[in-house]
Amino acid sequence: MKKILLILFLATLFFCKKEIEPATYSPTLVEFETPAHFPFLNLPKDNPLTVEGINLGRKLYYDSLLHPNKTNSFASCHLQDEGFSSINLNSLPHVNMAWSTFFLWNGEIEGGLEEAMEFKVHDFFKTDFDQLKQDPHYLSLYEDAFGTTDINLETTSKALAQFLRTVVSANSDYDEFFKGEKPLTASQYRGYLIYNSEKGDCFHCHGYPLLADNQFHNTGLDSVFTSNNMGRYEITKNTSDVGKFKTPTLRNVEFTRPYMHDGRFMTLEEVVEFYNSGVKLSPTLDPIMTKSGKENGLGLSEQDKKDLVNFLKSFTDNEFLTSEAYSNPH
Amino acid sequence: MKRSSLYIGIILLLIGCKKSEITQSVSSASANFSIHHEISTAQLLFDTILYATPSGYEISTTRLEYYISDVKFKDASGITIHQDANAHYINGRNQQTINIHNILIKEYQQIELTLGIPPYLNEHGKIPNTSENVGMIWPINMGGGYHFLKFEGHFRKPNQTSSSGFAIHLGETGNEVIISVTIPLSINEGNGNNFEINVNPLEWLTNPNDYDFELDANYSMGIPELMQKIQENGSTIVTTISQQ
């Protein structure tokens, strides 16, 4: 009997392989909570969310040490109270980026947030990591986050990616309306019907919940696209991509002016008027923009346009715009 | 004492070892359906005006997204032996394969599939919340559920230089297309059950109804009579299903 027990015990040990990991640093794992109705996310296994990683990423986001001349940080061009965009630039807002697979207006960066941050740190900021290494505070933060004081492109990008993965806007009036928790105003509701029907047809590219489709479209801003204004074509060199730009999310759109890839419009009223009467024909114009009976624009009344703008303002997420979790920690 | 120790040992052995794979029943197997989009036996090409429609237009395709769902395997008397109650998103730009699991190993005589989404799944949240599925949502105020089809591109009359766009969208319960093909299908043990589904997207614009972008409209969403035309044309979309 003892033999049998011994065999069973050994068999248990043999069949049940358990990897014994050496005792290392122990960051606090954070579970990513996907907001209601949002698409599932495949989070990278080699960069799990941790309290320490997010904390480090947030500090880096707001720190001009990333810039060799210490003049700019991410937050210089992406201000929280402007929906993580900037009135001075036509940058895409840093919100709900976890669901993006293309970054920048022409989709130059393809992949996840880690790849996007590598580009930002390496190519955009051209970060001098020695500047960070000289700061003992950062040595400690990197060690807490990654178990190493090796401050390099990979760890820096991973920390920034972790922070931006948590920068989620999902609590606007429209979200509450969608969840049946709060009605829209009468004007907003009329705007909602325009937005989500063929009348305005905004939903095909800016559908709920992301209010963006992670794709590229020529929406008729110009009839001719020249060298610095070619959009997705600049990356693919495919003529069918001329004039196509990434769909921006409309989350907090009330505060993300200027609008369009070149920032040509300063108000939502101008944007709506463009779609109502200003769309220009070109060979790659999105088929959605050329509907029968709307060749001369959407034909919205003045009231329709006001209602649509009011509805767009229901995308404002005040909790997001003021959340301490996303604010400057320095 | 000895017996109880033995039991403990056996229990230890049984519960200690996690099963790494859920094995399929020996009497069932998986099947793989690869989807091919072809026009006149040539692979569908995107973004270039290449194809002629019966209504006299030359067209390009810029978007082809749809669902194949509710695949049923039937016997000679038409009784459903296996039903795959899922909606599979298809994007014509990518080579795609549908995998169906746990099909009873036997000979089948008929296969049925739905182009679009069956009523029991056509409600927000009834299919997995993937990015692709979220991108196919049909607004609640227009009926809810999901787009069954997005077929978009540009069209022009021959000899014209400028083109316009078309957006053939289909959705709303009742507009799904059920296709039934009588064909001997053999599901065998192992992973070698490979099938090919050939789809001709131009058929959305003809048979039995020639769709005219100018006389009808260059978009169909929310226009019941046009969606019905498209739905009826769906019956000839699948040109062949064959076992490899």
Side-chain angles (χ1 to χ4, degrees):
Chain A
M1 178 54 73
K2 275 185 185 170
K3 269 186 185 174
I4 294 171
L5 276 174
L6 183 64
I7 290 166
L8 285 170
F9 181 67
L10 289 173
T12 308
L13 289 179
F14 179 77
F15 286 117
C16 309
K17 273 192 266 178
K18 208 172 190 180
E19 286 176 19
I20 298 164
E21 290 179 5
T24 54
Y25 80 110
S26 52
T28 315
L29 289 172
V30 174
E31 193 176 340
F32 184 84
E33 286 183 29
T34 305
H37 306 292
F38 275 55
F40 302 138
L41 267 185
N42 286 323
L43 299 171
K45 290 195 173 79
D46 64 347
N47 191 24
L49 285 179
T50 65
V51 169
E52 295 79 4
I54 295 165
N55 180 39
L56 170 60
R58 182 176 161 209
K59 287 194 187 301
L60 289 167
Y61 191 87
Y62 282 92
D63 202 328
S64 57
L65 268 181
L66 280 184
H67 195 283
N69 298 333
K70 303 180 187 174
T71 50
N72 289 310
S73 68
F74 274 89
S76 308
C77 309
H78 299 274
L79 289 80
Q80 183 179 8
D81 58 2
E82 293 179 24
F84 283 102
S85 65
S86 167
I87 194 170
N88 298 315
L89 294 161
N90 51 324
S91 49
L92 283 161
H94 281 179
V95 55
N96 298 345
M97 291 174 82
W99 286 272
S100 284
T101 53
F102 292 100
F103 301 88
L104 306 181
W105 286 103
N106 59 14
E108 183 176 349
I109 312 304
E110 187 175 351
L113 270 170
E114 283 72 12
E115 287 76 23
M117 292 303 105
E118 278 193 17
F119 170 83
K120 284 284 192 182
V121 173
H122 184 264
D123 296 22
F124 184 76
F125 281 112
K126 302 187 192 319
T127 299
D128 175 1
F129 295 105
D130 286 339
Q131 288 189 169
L132 291 167
K133 287 174 187 170
Q134 285 161 16
D135 185 329
H137 185 54
Y138 272 115
L139 290 173
S140 163
L141 289 173
Y142 273 78
E143 186 156 28
D144 290 346
F146 298 110
T148 174
T149 53
D150 189 6
I151 297 176
N152 57 33
L153 178 61
E154 184 186 353
T155 47
T156 304
S157 304
K158 280 184 169 177
L160 285 161
Q162 283 192 45
F163 169 62
L164 282 171
R165 201 159 272 131
T166 68
V167 178
V168 173
S169 173
N171 199 23
S172 64
D173 285 350
Y174 187 33
D175 293 297
E176 293 190 345
F177 167 75
F178 207 87
K179 287 185 272 191
E181 294 170 355
K182 184 181 175 183
L184 296 170
T185 66
S187 172
Q188 285 175 333
Y189 187 72
R190 290 193 299 269
Y192 159 80
L193 294 177
I194 294 167
Y195 184 99
N196 284 295
S197 68
E198 295 295 323
K199 188 171 183 180
D201 198 2
C202 314
F203 68 94
H204 273 117
C205 302
H206 297 284
Y208 191 81
L210 296 173
L211 309 181
D213 62 359
N214 201 39
Q215 294 181 25
F216 302 86
H217 302 274
N218 171 359
T219 57
L221 283 166
D222 296 299
S223 53
V224 176
F225 296 90
T226 50
S227 58
N228 292 324
N229 191 35
M230 304 283 270
R232 184 69 178 145
Y233 170 83
E234 291 161 20
I235 308 305
T236 65
K237 302 301 177 195
N238 183 339
T239 52
S240 68
D241 286 331
V242 170
K244 293 182 180 177
F245 295 88
K246 187 181 172 187
T247 308
T249 179
L250 300 189
R251 292 254 165 206
N252 304 296
V253 70
E254 183 180 1
F255 296 101
T256 59
R257 64 194 182 282
Y259 304 111
M260 307 303 181
H261 67 278
D262 52 6
R264 67 179 66 185
F265 300 132
M266 282 305 291
T267 67
L268 290 175
E269 285 77 8
E270 286 177 83
V271 175
V272 168
E273 191 52 57
F274 158 71
Y275 285 115
N276 192 49
S277 61
V279 171
K280 296 182 179 70
L281 296 176
S282 66
T284 60
L285 180 64
D286 198 282
I288 290 288
M289 308 296 296
T290 64
K291 288 180 178 166
S292 314
K294 295 182 178 173
E295 295 83 354
N296 299 315
L298 296 174
L300 301 179
S301 68
E302 288 306 311
Q303 185 62 50
D304 288 338
K305 287 185 269 184
K306 278 183 193 164
D307 292 339
L308 191 50
V309 168
N310 284 336
F311 175 61
L312 294 173
K313 290 179 180 174
S314 78
F315 302 161
T316 297
D317 179 349
N318 288 311
E319 185 182 283
F320 171 83
L321 296 171
T322 56
S323 168
E324 198 182 328
Y326 309 141
S327 64
N328 189 344
H330 295 288
Chain B
M1 177 63 186
K2 284 181 180 176
R3 184 166 285 181
S4 62
S5 301
L6 180 62
Y7 289 153
I8 290 166
I10 290 169
I11 290 166
L12 256 179
L13 181 61
L14 289 176
I15 66 169
C17 301
K18 271 194 234 167
K19 224 174 190 179
S20 59
E21 283 175 18
I22 296 165
T23 50
Q24 196 158 237
S25 157
V26 288
S27 60
S28 67
S30 297
N32 311 306
F33 290 83
S34 74
I35 316 297
H36 296 260
H37 299 99
E38 294 183 344
I39 293 174
S40 303
T41 71
Q43 187 187 343
L44 172 69
L45 295 176
F46 280 81
D47 303 321
T48 307
I49 292 185
L50 280 177
Y51 305 111
T53 75
S55 295
Y57 299 100
E58 295 172 337
I59 70 164
S60 67
T61 303
T62 56
R63 182 189 298 273
L64 179 62
E65 295 173 85
Y66 62 100
Y67 287 98
I68 291 178
S69 58
D70 203 26
V71 180
K72 293 174 182 168
F73 296 79
K74 298 185 172 186
D75 65 13
S77 56
I79 293 170
T80 300
I81 307 298
H82 181 81
Q83 178 181 12
D84 174 56
N86 293 300
H88 303 274
Y89 166 84
I90 308 292
N91 187 331
R93 285 189 182 268
N94 309 322
Q95 180 63 46
Q96 273 178 278
T97 301
I98 294 173
N99 307 114
I100 298 178
H101 306 289
N102 294 315
I103 311 164
L104 196 64
I105 291 171
K106 68 182 292 243
E107 301 293 320
Y108 296 88
Q109 300 303 320
Q110 210 179 325
I111 186 165
E112 184 181 295
L113 55 87
T114 297
L115 293 173
I117 296 183
Y120 66 88
L121 291 177
N122 194 32
E123 197 180 308
H124 294 173
K126 285 279 175 74
I127 61 176
N129 238 21
T130 61
S131 294
E132 291 83 3
N133 290 340
V134 167
M136 295 291 274
I137 281 175
W138 190 275
I140 290 170
N141 53 296
M142 292 187 78
Y146 296 86
H147 283 74
F148 300 164
L149 166 73
K150 289 182 182 177
F151 178 28
E152 298 173 10
H154 293 96
F155 71 94
R156 69 184 177 206
K157 286 281 191 187
N159 305 321
Q160 278 185 342
T161 50
S162 65
S163 62
S164 189
F166 70 87
I168 300 300
H169 291 194
L170 188 63
E172 294 189 61
T173 291
N175 287 326
E176 64 275 13
V177 180
I178 297 172
I179 290 176
S180 191
V181 178
T182 301
I183 178 181
L185 297 174
S186 180
I187 299 295
N188 302 305
E189 203 172 327
N191 300 318
N193 298 301
N194 297 316
F195 301 88
E196 201 171 281
I197 298 179
N198 286 308
V199 170
N200 180 351
L202 278 193
E203 289 291 314
W204 287 114
L205 305 175
T206 187
N207 288 325
N209 310 304
D210 287 348
Y211 192 96
D212 190 306
F213 298 125
E214 291 171 318
L215 295 177
D216 291 311
N218 62 354
Y219 72 102
S220 59
M221 187 167 184
I223 307 174
E225 59 273 24
L226 295 184
M227 290 202 292
Q228 189 184 337
K229 262 190 165 186
I230 300 297
Q231 190 263 354
E232 289 168 0
N233 288 348
S235 59
T236 53
I237 291 301
V238 173
T239 52
T240 56
I241 298 179
S242 56
Q243 187 152 12
Q244 303 301 296

